[in-house]
Amino acid sequence: MKDLHDKRIVLGLSGGIACYKAAELCRQLVQAGAQVRVVMTQAAAQFITPVTMQALSGQPVVASQWDAREPNAMAHINLGRWADAIVVAPASADFIAQLAQGRAGELLALLCLARPAQRVPLLLAPAMNREMWAHPATQRNLGQVAADGAVVLGVGQGEQACGEVGDGRMLEPEEIVEELVAHLQPDRLAGQRVLVTAGPTFEPIDPVRGITNLSSGKMGFAVARAAREAGAEVTLVAGPVHLRTPRGVRRVDVQTAQQMLAAVLAEAERATVFVATAAVADWRPAHVAAHKLKKDGSGQPPALALAENPDILATVAASPRARSGALYCVGFAAESHDLLKHAQAKRARKGVPLLVGNIGPATFGRDDNALLLVDEREAVELPPAPKLVLARQLVAEIARRLGQPQAAD
Ligand code: CTP
């Protein structure tokens, strides 16, 4: 099922050059399965035509509270009742100022004011020149709208249409979709602090070579994203991978197993859940050569002495906080056969309450996976699905075991 399957989204556009990105945002929302109704201010229509937005959303654009097409002449009430969420992208400085004051001079502001606030979240993706963004009036208004219940998504940094460089760019459409999807997930891990390891480690032999493995990090990044969607504060300790950090997740990059252990031990002090998905190299070269190793002409390869790496999961699982139950540890096991038997044995060996098994060679680098969850009492199979879907199911299983109240889907 798509991330926004059958979700009803009002996409609001206020005036700003970032309106050009709203077209792509609309397309991505529809692709994610949402039904989209677009509402534009007069200023927005100066930047992009309603025809474009109508074509992309497949619905007529609503621009005025006096729109005679609404049988009861109450577009602001009808749309608010219809919506599962309202996303205003771009949200201009002026539009945010209107919201802060509770003004309703145009349909979009009126709609935001009249929405059933308990049920319909309002997400704002600001977009403006960096001076406007930094102005105390804008920051004051942003604080006010957040205090009044809007979700302010923050801004990107970089080159602006005015030629200046700084804060104030609208987030990219894919980031806004990710924030919206997160917002519509149940808050199963609210109040939890989740620590995740992901990816391979890289153990240097010399300055240009090393030992590593084929782990892509995708499963761990999906777990981090799913935990954040579920309302947790998430830290992701990542080995060398080329993946985008999920929104709202704090990332610590490391290279070697020893660096990963150090980072994890520092973070584990305050975490309440630890999920070890990293494919940590079991061994590292005992000595790292300071200079590139050269062939010496003898035809003999250099002898490579190896040392065993620390077991990060087992170390954390043996810590007093984990043993007292203050830190819930989840291990992963990449196996090539006899998954249940090996997962059960590994759970006991690592001393963790929950072990997640998968068939390693079948999953490395892929977007799909299948998991087997083994705890003290049972084994639960999660059938093949995209890694993000599985990660959300795993988060639900962890929340169930932590005794978190289960929000409805
Ligand atoms: N793990 C870890 N530190 C290591 C090795 C593994 O934290 N040095 C964690 C992994 O992140 C995973 C779990 O332990 O959560 C199992 O890893 P795996 O490599 O499958 O198990 P091993 O203990 O290495 O056992 P084996 O290779 O013998 O199957």
Side-chain angles (χ1 to χ4, degrees):
M1 201 158 62
K2 293 179 173 172
D3 279 349
L4 293 174
H5 178 74
D6 266 355
K7 293 287 184 215
R8 296 187 291 207
I9 309 300
V10 170
L11 173 59
L13 278 67
S14 58
I17 192 67
C19 279
Y20 82 92
K21 290 191 196 172
E24 174 63 18
L25 172 59
C26 183
R27 205 179 66 87
Q28 290 191 16
L29 291 171
V30 171
Q31 273 179 342
Q35 300 174 43
V36 181
R37 298 293 310 269
V38 176
V39 177
M40 295 173 70
T41 64
Q42 280 186 16
Q46 296 290 326
F47 291 92
I48 187 169
T49 71
V51 175
T52 300
M53 300 308 292
Q54 175 172 349
L56 290 168
S57 65
Q59 294 285 337
V61 169
V62 198
S64 159
Q65 62 267 45
W66 315 123
D67 190 330
R69 287 172 303 186
E70 294 290 327
N72 63 356
M74 285 190 257
H76 62 298
I77 302 291
N78 301 343
L79 282 166
R81 286 187 184 153
W82 174 84
D84 291 315
I86 302 173
V87 183
V88 181
S92 67
D94 179 58
F95 183 74
I96 292 163
Q98 289 177 48
L99 285 187
Q101 291 186 0
R103 300 177 77 91
E106 269 198 86
L107 175 63
L108 185 56
L110 175 59
L111 166 68
C112 293
L113 194 62
R115 82 187 197 283
Q118 294 301 318
R119 188 183 65 77
V120 183
L122 169 63
L123 284 75
L124 304 175
M128 64 198 75
N129 157 276
R130 68 184 175 93
E131 299 286 6
M132 292 169 78
W133 173 254
H135 196 286
T138 304
Q139 291 301 320
R140 193 166 59 236
N141 290 336
L142 285 164
Q144 185 61 56
V145 295
D148 292 345
V151 180
V152 179
L153 295 184
V155 290
Q157 209 255 355
E159 261 181 48
Q160 303 199 309
C162 52
E164 294 174 13
V165 178
D167 289 339
R169 282 171 60 97
M170 190 170 86
L171 295 182
E172 296 307 315
E174 130 183 286
E175 296 175 306
I176 297 172
V177 173
E178 188 176 328
E179 291 280 4
L180 177 63
V181 169
H183 222 81
L184 295 174
Q185 296 291 323
D187 271 349
R188 293 189 162 104
L189 291 180
Q192 300 288 340
R193 291 183 294 276
V194 177
L195 173 61
V196 182
T197 63
T201 61
F202 179 90
E203 312 295 335
I205 295 171
D206 66 17
V208 296
R209 304 185 182 92
I211 299 174
T212 187
N213 60 63
L214 289 175
S215 166
S216 66
K218 285 181 180 170
M219 192 65 222
F221 275 60
V223 170
R225 176 173 168 181
R228 191 261 171 166
E229 286 178 351
E233 188 188 316
V234 183
T235 303
L236 174 61
V237 178
V241 291
H242 299 282
L243 294 175
R244 192 170 62 76
T245 312
R247 299 256 337 136
V249 167
R250 193 164 70 85
R251 173 171 176 173
V252 180
D253 282 319
V254 297
Q255 201 182 38
T256 67
Q258 287 172 306
Q259 290 167 356
M260 188 174 274
L261 176 68
V264 164
L265 289 180
E267 301 293 338
E269 290 290 315
R270 54 187 301 277
T272 57
V273 178
F274 175 47
V275 186
T277 75
V280 183
D282 287 321
W283 301 285
R284 65 177 182 278
H287 308 285
V288 183
H291 302 290
K292 184 182 170 192
L293 297 178
K294 305 294 263 183
K295 282 178 287 203
D296 62 8
S298 69
Q300 290 297 312
L304 204 58
L306 297 177
E308 191 168 309
N309 268 329
D311 189 320
I312 300 169
L313 176 60
T315 307
V316 173
S319 69
R321 287 193 69 238
R323 293 174 77 98
S324 72
L327 174 60
Y328 187 83
C329 292
V330 183
F332 266 67
E335 306 293 345
S336 58
H337 62 288
D338 279 344
L339 190 52
L340 178 62
K341 199 177 89 190
H342 283 119
Q344 282 168 334
K346 200 164 281 183
R347 192 185 84 81
R349 197 168 74 238
K350 302 260 181 181
V352 295
L354 182 61
L355 201 289
V356 183
N358 63 132
I359 298 291
T363 169
F364 276 4
R366 297 183 50 125
D367 289 326
D368 282 24
N369 199 357
L371 302 178
L372 181 70
L373 275 52
V374 179
D375 69 6
E376 190 182 40
R377 289 183 301 117
E378 56 184 347
V380 179
E381 262 186 69
L382 303 182
K387 287 180 175 172
L388 183 57
V389 171
L390 290 170
R392 288 179 184 141
Q393 292 169 351
L394 174 61
V395 158
E397 292 283 344
I398 293 171
R400 184 161 70 80
R401 287 168 175 78
L402 292 173
Q404 292 276 118
Q406 292 299 289
D409 279 313

